[in-house]
Amino acid sequence: MPDPLILIVDDDLRMRQLIRDTLASEGINAVLCSDGAEAAEMVLRQTTDLIITDLMMPQIDGMELLNLALQANPDCLVVVITGYGSIESAVQAIKNGAYDYLQKPFEPDQLLLVVQRALVRLRLQDENRQLRQQVAGCQADELLGASKQMTTLKALITRIAPFDTTVLIQGETGTGKELAARMIHRLSQRRDQRFLPINCGALPETLLESELFGHARGAFTGADKDKKGLLESADHGTLFLDEINTTSPAFQVKLLRVLQEGSFIRVGDHEPRSVDLRVIAASNTTLEKEVQTGRFRSDLFYRLNVVTITLPPLRERNGDIGLLAHYFLTRYARQYGVQLSSISPEALQSLRNYHWPGNVRELENIIERAVIMADGNELQPQYLPRFSVSDTPLSSSSDQELLPMAEVERRHIIRVLKATAGHRGKASKLLGISLASLWRKVKQYGL
Ligand SMILES: Nc1ncnc2c1ncn2[C@@H]1O[C@H](COP(=O)(O)OP(=O)(O)OP(=O)(O)O)[C@@H](O)[C@H]1O
Ligand SMILES: [Mg+2]
């Protein structure tokens, strides 16, 4: 985001300078306006992001400036400064769309806190706009993600897909293993043939076997005629063996044969039959570990492991949460004919702070539910589950992000509250602030 345009508007020269100097001490640049008229002219001429304005000014007062600014740019944040004891005007300004207020006299720290918070919001608003544009052209069934991990992964998939080799896809539940398998199929020479997904964990093994391999007449009670298996009907296509880690060693031998010789035997038959299939297998556990503990045959593992693709959990690519959330929002809003078109910065923040044990699937479900429940144009946090403080992991990979102070403070408070199991007395001691300050911050950050 380019540097935001910040205006400081006050007819009192000393006040203007005080505000400017306070912001400058934190490296925040602002433009000074000596009255409402000058500010109004600025606001109409260029896109203004944040205005800190006195309310009482001759000609064009703060309230009028607020209205003008919001007309010119509905995303503009306006902080009004009210005189001592005039809380009514602050309330009125908030009703008219002001972002926040400061009551005179205020401490430099109070001003900075409000401005830092506004800057975080501006950054999120900007991201929101960009994400909306990005997902506008996305197709269903596309493996989305702009994080470094996902970009690398998609490049790997694109590279290996045309080679007719076996692929092993690993990753936690809901990370997009099936989507990745479909992408490989789509980019392969077999794209016009079938993609056949089989969930090895969903059927009892004897049933799975006869489904896959077919059976001969009389193979078991009820087998009154020969039956072709799924392998044969997917001939020349791609076979996706999901949850391969759940299969038994006996079944694994039969799979090995399909991979090694391209042949199989129908249940109750003797005749080997051949098929031409590309096999993609998926596991939500690390197969190598299953081999070490003897639950998975090492020969099959090596056969599958020609190319391994590992899907990263969502919590390790926080940067993709916004993109995916917008994508699902757009998709489900269209599907259900709902007006919803954006996600509020607060809601986005809360999605980003959660650690997503169910990964993308969990995010998709949460957004689908929110789309059904929410009112208005923008998704507000109250339509999301209350991700409790204990849902936030102690350290996250996003710790390396360059964050505004207010955000660092918010995250740090969450950490300390978690470490003290929510005990505010202990937390305030650790943080070195009074219980009252902690209470205020907890409220302010909506923790
Ligand atoms: N990168 C992504 N972009 C868009 N949608 C995604 C992405 N990853 C997952 N999804 C969506 O999330 C849901 C779960 O994905 P998928 O079924 O591929 O996960 P999985 O890893 O196979 O999970 P499981 O191990 O539980 O079977 C699907 O609806 C899928 O469309
Ligand atoms: Mg799956």
Side-chain angles (χ1 to χ4, degrees):
M1 177 182 186
D3 271 350
L5 176 59
I6 305 177
L7 300 187
I8 298 169
V9 192
D10 203 318
D11 51 343
D12 175 351
L13 175 68
R14 269 190 24 244
M15 193 65 177
R16 277 202 304 273
Q17 287 174 342
L18 182 73
I19 296 176
R20 181 194 56 196
D21 294 345
T22 307
L23 297 190
S25 72
E26 291 290 322
I28 303 165
N29 294 319
V31 175
L32 299 184
C33 297
S34 53
D35 57 31
E38 192 186 334
E41 207 177 292
M42 286 280 291
V43 161
L44 295 176
R45 224 177 30 225
Q46 33 184 320
T47 310
T48 310
D49 301 295
L50 173 62
I51 303 176
I52 302 160
T53 181
D54 193 18
L55 270 183
M56 300 264 276
M57 290 182 298
Q59 294 167 27
I60 295 185
D61 67 8
M63 210 67 91
E64 232 180 306
L65 177 61
L66 166 68
N67 294 336
L68 272 171
L70 291 180
Q71 264 170 38
N73 171 22
D75 285 339
C76 180
L77 304 182
V78 179
V79 176
V80 297
I81 300 171
T82 63
Y84 177 71
S86 60
I87 191 78
E88 301 80 18
S89 53
V91 171
Q92 192 53 48
I94 298 283
K95 274 192 190 150
N96 290 1
Y99 168 67
D100 208 342
Y101 69 93
L102 282 164
Q103 201 168 15
K104 278 191 253 191
F106 52 83
E107 295 292 320
D109 275 355
Q110 277 174 291
L111 169 68
L112 283 174
L113 201 62
V114 169
V115 171
Q116 301 278 21
R117 223 159 47 87
L119 291 178
V120 171
R121 191 180 164 99
L122 283 172
R123 186 170 53 86
L124 289 168
Q125 278 178 354
D126 187 60
E127 257 181 84
N128 230 313
R129 259 192 305 273
Q130 288 181 22
L131 289 169
R132 260 202 312 275
Q133 284 162 9
Q134 272 179 41
V135 300
C138 289
Q139 286 167 1
D141 241 28
E142 209 176 314
L143 195 60
L144 299 178
S147 59
K148 198 162 145 257
Q149 294 97 312
M150 285 307 279
T151 317
T152 313
L153 190 96
K154 284 190 277 187
L156 176 66
I157 289 179
T158 310
R159 175 163 185 96
I160 59 106
F163 297 94
D164 213 33
T165 156
T166 306
V167 183
L168 173 63
I169 305 181
Q170 303 195 123
E172 290 178 16
T173 180
T175 45
K177 295 184 293 296
E178 179 156 349
L179 219 50
R182 287 181 189 276
M183 180 172 169
I184 295 172
H185 175 72
R186 230 182 5 251
L187 295 174
S188 76
Q189 284 119 12
R190 297 175 186 261
R191 72 179 72 90
D192 297 326
Q193 306 292 329
R194 277 187 77 179
F195 174 87
L196 183 70
I198 294 182
N199 189 333
C200 302
L203 294 174
E205 200 147 284
T206 48
L207 208 56
L208 176 66
E209 218 177 302
S210 73
E211 280 292 308
L212 262 187
F213 301 132
H215 58 76
R217 182 167 166 230
F220 44 82
T221 2
D224 48 6
K225 51 180 181 234
D226 286 351
K227 192 179 164 246
K228 209 167 143 177
L230 291 170
L231 289 192
E232 280 167 276
S233 54
D235 202 9
H236 305 299
T238 303
L239 176 68
F240 176 54
L241 294 172
D242 204 357
E243 298 191 23
I244 191 136
N245 50 305
T246 60
T247 56
S248 75
F251 187 76
Q252 289 163 21
V253 179
K254 294 174 183 151
L255 282 180
L256 185 63
R257 183 182 179 133
V258 176
L259 287 175
Q260 260 168 351
E261 291 154 35
S263 76
F264 65 95
I265 299 171
R266 286 183 182 175
V267 178
D269 203 359
H270 313 286
E271 201 68 15
R273 293 162 193 269
S274 58
V275 272
D276 164 35
L277 286 170
R278 179 190 206 170
V279 173
I280 304 178
S283 168
N284 53 21
T285 58
T286 311
L287 267 197
E288 201 167 3
K289 281 197 193 126
E290 308 276 353
V291 171
Q292 279 159 15
T293 53
R295 276 193 299 267
F296 203 83
R297 288 186 65 104
S298 59
D299 45 8
L300 179 58
F301 170 68
Y302 291 121
R303 194 75 208 186
L304 291 172
N305 193 29
V306 183
V307 176
T308 299
I309 285 176
T310 306
L311 282 144
L314 191 53
R315 67 182 160 280
E316 283 176 16
R317 46 186 176 106
N318 254 4
D320 284 339
I321 291 174
L323 181 73
L324 288 165
H326 275 87
Y327 168 71
F328 293 130
L329 184 90
T330 314
R331 203 173 90 192
Y332 286 108
R334 196 178 306 141
Q335 182 175 326
Y336 294 122
V338 170
Q339 256 333 298
L340 219 53
S341 64
S342 65
I343 302 178
S344 79
E346 294 77 14
L348 195 57
Q349 193 76 273
S350 111
L351 292 172
R352 285 200 173 127
N353 286 333
Y354 182 52
H355 69 298
W356 302 109
N359 294 295
V360 186
R361 180 180 293 110
E362 187 181 10
L363 175 63
E364 180 174 354
N365 293 343
I366 281 175
I367 299 288
E368 180 181 2
R369 178 181 179 279
V371 166
I372 293 169
M373 303 304 292
D375 288 318
N377 255 320
E378 198 182 59
L379 178 61
Q380 302 299 331
Q382 70 260 34
Y383 298 109
L384 299 172
R386 280 185 189 280
F387 305 120
S388 70
V389 168
S390 62
D391 289 341
T392 309
L394 258 182
S395 77
S396 75
S397 56
S398 55
D399 282 354
Q400 284 110 41
E401 272 178 75
L402 295 172
L403 298 168
M405 284 297 286
E407 182 54 22
V408 172
E409 179 175 85
R410 198 182 71 84
R411 291 194 188 181
H412 187 60
I413 292 173
I414 292 177
R415 283 182 63 173
V416 172
L417 279 173
K418 193 191 168 195
T420 55
H423 193 294
R424 292 195 177 163
K426 285 183 199 162
S428 69
K429 277 214 183 75
L430 274 172
L431 288 164
I433 57 176
S434 70
L435 198 58
S437 306
L438 177 60
W439 180 255
R440 201 155 15 90
K441 286 175 194 297
V442 164
K443 241 178 83 180
Q444 177 194 341
Y445 293 127
L447 302 179

